[in-house]
């Protein structure tokens, strides 16, 4: 067991913040005996917070609105961010794609869209196997750049605590750039709409031209009414990641000077993955003790008792905005499995936010051996999600996708069709397959049509 290394003000003594250390814990790096662990944690313990408690509270209020049907959430980004991939071009392409999707969804839902990146901290991955074997050589599996490297060598695959410090600095510079983009004029509604016009002008996307034309008319109408477009030049953009490596999350947890309560300042929103949501495990305990809004992934084997237990542990005060369930059922089963969970929550009286992750239940291997997803399955799961909530009179509150702003080939299909041959030259993900720029936008148009009831 590692001592409670953190020396950060107050947080070291806040009751319960270290209870997780005595609980069963899954998916952690094997670096506990490395003397560099203490060095890294000491450095991080005095590093400034990445986000501020007031922003986290703001997001919680926004998510409460979404849970009640008054906003819609768009959460997107890489499965696994990499240190190498943190270039200005890639970050701006991703932010731009999310903004483009958000405009389309805003129009379709006639609701404000809460924009959240799987960005600026999405560096740790749960894995189904501890090892990976290639050509008879077995090495530790890649667990995200916060833990080890993707290159298949013993040195790169070693779990290195110093990587936590790099993850922190990379998150800080990504967040800095995101803040600059989203506040500095890049997010201007008219510019974002112009990019969408470019998308719809592509011959593969003619069917979306009418939605773009409708948004065009809406913008002209706003202008004619004297809308203050300058006020629309900036947008709120929140950071989120899976809270997996608990030493990292713990050391960045700070006591808010206003409320004297603990906030995990590594991101605004944190979620617990499908593999670490054990009710009696370390992850649920730790995240139950921070004030951030918390998400939990729910796969197809989730039972009604699991969701009730999660509500009791993570949202004992039944506070709208506190708890989000991110369902990732699979297109083939969502219509069968989701209703029971939604009804169970409805009966419990809690107001949780329901978001669909149409990616993780739809992963398949292509005939040429790549981990992929079919665009049609992704779309079908989103439709199933809307259908289930419509049928039960509950709120379909958002969309969580693995996407990039680049022209990669990792998921099959889309109108500008990607086939498996393209994987040979344009498959870049180090983890799960992402929708590329065009597929992401197309999904937003299709989801907007569903939201608008077409
Ligand atoms: C992920 O979001 O990349 C992930 C690992 O998801 P899940 O926990 O739903 O499998
Ligand atoms: Mn993933």
């Amino acid at each position: 067991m590692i001592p409670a290394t953190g020396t950060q003000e107050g947080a070291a003594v806040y009751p319960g913040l270290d209870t997780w250390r005595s609980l069963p814990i899954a998916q952690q790096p094997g670096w506990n005996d490395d003397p560099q662990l203490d060095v890294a944690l000491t450095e991080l313990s005095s590093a400034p917070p990445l986000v501020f408690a007031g922003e986290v509270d703001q997001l919680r209020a926004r998510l409460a609105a979404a849970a009640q049907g008054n906003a819609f959430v768009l959460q997107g980004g890489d499965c696994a961010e990499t240190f190498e991939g943190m270039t200005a071009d890639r970050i701006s392409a991703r932010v731009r794609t999310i903004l483009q999707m958000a405009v389309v969804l805003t129009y379709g839902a006639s609701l404000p869209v809460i924009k959240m990146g799987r960005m600026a901290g999405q560096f740790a991955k749960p894995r189904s196997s501890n090892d990976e074997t290639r050509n008879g050589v077995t090495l530790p599996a890649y667990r995200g750049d916060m833990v080890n490297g993707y290159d298949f060598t013993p040195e790169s695959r070693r779990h290195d605590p110093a990587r936590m410090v790099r993850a922190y600095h990379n998150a800080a510079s990504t967040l800095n750039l995101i803040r600059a983009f989203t506040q500095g004029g890049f997010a201007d509604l008219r510019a974002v709409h112009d990019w969408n016009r470019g998308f719809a002008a592509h011959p593969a996307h003619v069917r979306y031209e009418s939605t773009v034309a409708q948004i065009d008319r809406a913008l002209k109408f706003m202008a004619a009414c004297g809308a203050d477009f300058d006020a629309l030049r900036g947008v709120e953009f929140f950071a989120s990641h899976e809270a997996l490596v608990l030493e990292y999350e713990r050391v960045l947890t700070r006591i808010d000077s206003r409320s004297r309560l603990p906030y995990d300042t590594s991101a605004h929103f944190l979620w617990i993955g499908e593999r670490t949501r054990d009710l009696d495990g370390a992850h649920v305990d730790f995240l139950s003790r921070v004030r951030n809004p918390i998400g939990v992934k729910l796969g197809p084997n989730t039972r009604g008792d699991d969701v009730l237990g999660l509500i009791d542990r993570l949202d004992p005060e039944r506070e709208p905005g506190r708890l989000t369930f991110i369902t990732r059922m699979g297109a083939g089963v969502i219509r069968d499995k989701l209703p029971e969970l939604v009804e169970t929550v409805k009966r419990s009286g809690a107001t949780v936010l329901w978001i669909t992750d149409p990616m993780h239940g739809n992963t398949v291997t292509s005939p040429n051996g790549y981990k992929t997803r079919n665009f049609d399955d992704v779309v079908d799961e989103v439709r199933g999600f809307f259908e289930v909530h419509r049928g039960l009179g509950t709120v379909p509150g958002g969309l969580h996708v693995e996407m990039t702003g680049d022209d990669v080939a990792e998921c099959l299909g889309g109108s500008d069709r990607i086939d498996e041959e393209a994987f040979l030259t344009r498959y870049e993900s180090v983890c799960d397959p992402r929708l590329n720029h065009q597929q992401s936008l197309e999904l937003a148009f299709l989801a907007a049509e569903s939201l608008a009831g077409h």
Side-chain angles (χ1 to χ4, degrees):
M1 190 59 45
I2 310 151
T5 320
T7 52
Q8 64 272 33
E9 267 185 17
V13 293
Y14 196 88
L17 273 186
D18 286 299
T19 303
W20 64 271
R21 294 180 189 279
S22 59
L23 299 175
I25 185 162
Q27 300 283 346
Q28 297 308 286
W31 56 31
N32 288 4
D33 298 329
D34 188 332
Q36 291 305 312
L37 176 61
D38 253 10
V39 176
L41 292 176
T42 301
E43 181 168 348
L44 289 174
S45 69
S46 56
L50 292 174
V51 302
F52 298 101
E55 299 174 318
V56 172
D57 292 340
Q58 189 79 268
L59 174 62
R60 196 182 326 96
R62 303 269 184 271
L63 296 178
Q68 285 151 341
N70 299 320
F72 189 79
V73 176
L74 173 62
Q75 186 177 22
D78 287 329
C79 177
E81 286 178 292
T82 61
F83 298 160
E84 203 176 77
M86 319 242 61
T87 64
D89 283 353
R90 289 203 194 155
I91 295 167
S92 74
R94 210 170 317 133
V95 169
R96 175 175 149 155
T97 306
I98 292 173
L99 295 174
Q100 286 182 262
M101 295 171 77
V103 168
V104 176
L105 290 168
T106 305
Y107 184 77
S110 300
L111 289 174
V113 171
I114 302 160
K115 295 162 271 293
M116 201 153 44
R118 280 177 67 113
M119 291 178 75
Q122 177 54 22
F123 291 120
K125 299 309 301 173
R127 302 317 302 251
S128 46
S129 168
N130 282 334
D131 300 313
E132 182 183 349
T133 300
R134 288 190 198 171
N135 305 321
V137 178
T138 299
L139 291 174
Y142 172 64
R143 289 188 169 270
D145 274 17
M146 185 188 289
V147 178
N148 58 2
Y150 184 68
D151 285 350
F152 196 70
T153 63
E155 178 43 34
S156 144
R157 289 294 171 96
R158 184 177 74 84
H159 295 183
D160 177 3
R163 283 180 166 271
M164 272 193 288
V165 179
R166 280 183 75 189
Y168 167 86
H169 288 295
N170 274 278
S173 46
T174 303
L175 206 49
N176 183 49
L177 197 57
I178 292 175
R179 290 189 197 275
F181 282 143
T182 52
Q183 297 305 318
F186 178 84
D188 188 302
L189 179 58
R190 291 158 299 182
V192 176
H193 173 63
D194 271 346
W195 296 329
N196 281 347
R197 272 212 284 245
F199 167 84
H202 188 290
H205 302 136
V206 282
R207 63 166 291 205
Y208 305 112
E209 261 178 348
S210 66
T211 304
V212 170
Q214 287 167 37
I215 298 176
D216 216 55
R217 273 199 297 279
L219 285 176
K220 290 200 172 105
F221 174 74
M222 284 166 69
C225 295
D228 182 2
F229 280 102
D230 281 342
L232 294 171
R233 277 163 50 86
V235 296
E236 284 183 339
F237 199 103
F238 297 98
S240 69
H241 63 258
E242 177 173 352
L244 186 70
V245 176
L246 289 190
E247 287 292 1
Y248 181 79
E249 304 304 336
R250 170 66 183 86
V251 78
L252 288 173
T253 295
R254 305 293 158 80
I255 304 301
D256 172 29
S257 55
R258 309 162 310 166
S259 63
R260 308 305 304 161
L261 294 170
Y263 284 71
D264 183 343
T265 67
S266 71
H268 301 103
F269 178 93
L270 298 151
W271 77 85
I272 305 174
E274 164 75 355
R275 292 171 189 77
T276 49
R277 62 173 171 76
D278 178 5
L279 279 181
D280 302 314
H283 290 82
V284 168
D285 186 86
F286 179 69
L287 290 159
S288 75
R289 297 173 193 274
V290 295
R291 276 295 284 151
N292 307 59
I294 303 298
V296 186
K297 294 284 202 92
L298 301 179
N301 298 323
T302 313
R303 293 165 310 134
D305 282 353
D306 299 332
V307 293
L308 293 178
L310 288 164
I311 292 170
D312 280 344
R313 294 297 314 275
L314 293 166
D315 184 22
E317 311 291 338
R318 307 292 192 264
E319 182 186 10
R322 162 68 176 171
L323 182 58
T324 298
F325 284 139
I326 307 168
T327 62
R328 28 86 91 224
M329 299 281 151
V333 300
I334 184 166
R335 292 169 180 83
D336 297 331
K337 305 254 178 175
L338 185 58
E340 190 206 323
L341 299 183
V342 175
E343 278 179 308
T344 303
V345 172
K346 204 170 153 186
R347 279 195 302 271
S348 82
T351 307
V352 306
L353 169 61
W354 293 97
I355 292 187
T356 178
D357 161 1
M359 314 299 294
H360 288 88
N362 296 308
T363 313
V364 292
T365 303
S366 67
N368 63 352
Y370 287 81
K371 202 178 188 186
T372 189
R373 291 155 177 159
N374 283 294
F375 183 76
D376 289 347
D377 292 341
V378 171
V379 172
D380 190 37
E381 178 148 2
V382 174
R383 292 206 170 114
F385 175 78
F386 288 140
E387 280 165 37
V388 168
H389 283 285
R390 290 242 163 78
L392 297 172
T394 46
V395 177
L399 179 61
H400 175 121
V401 280
E402 288 185 337
M403 46 73 63
T404 171
D406 304 326
D407 188 23
V408 301
E410 297 169 6
C411 292
L412 292 166
S415 291
D416 191 6
R417 223 175 145 280
I418 297 290
D419 58 27
E420 59 174 320
E421 286 305 304
F423 295 167
L424 302 177
T425 51
R426 285 153 58 207
Y427 196 106
E428 294 177 14
S429 177
V430 292
C431 201
D432 289 339
R434 303 160 298 177
L435 299 175
N436 66 19
H437 172 75
Q438 313 271 14
Q439 291 167 327
S440 302
L441 278 174
E442 182 162 16
L443 178 64
F445 276 98
L446 293 170
E449 285 174 10
S450 292
L451 280 164
H454 294 300

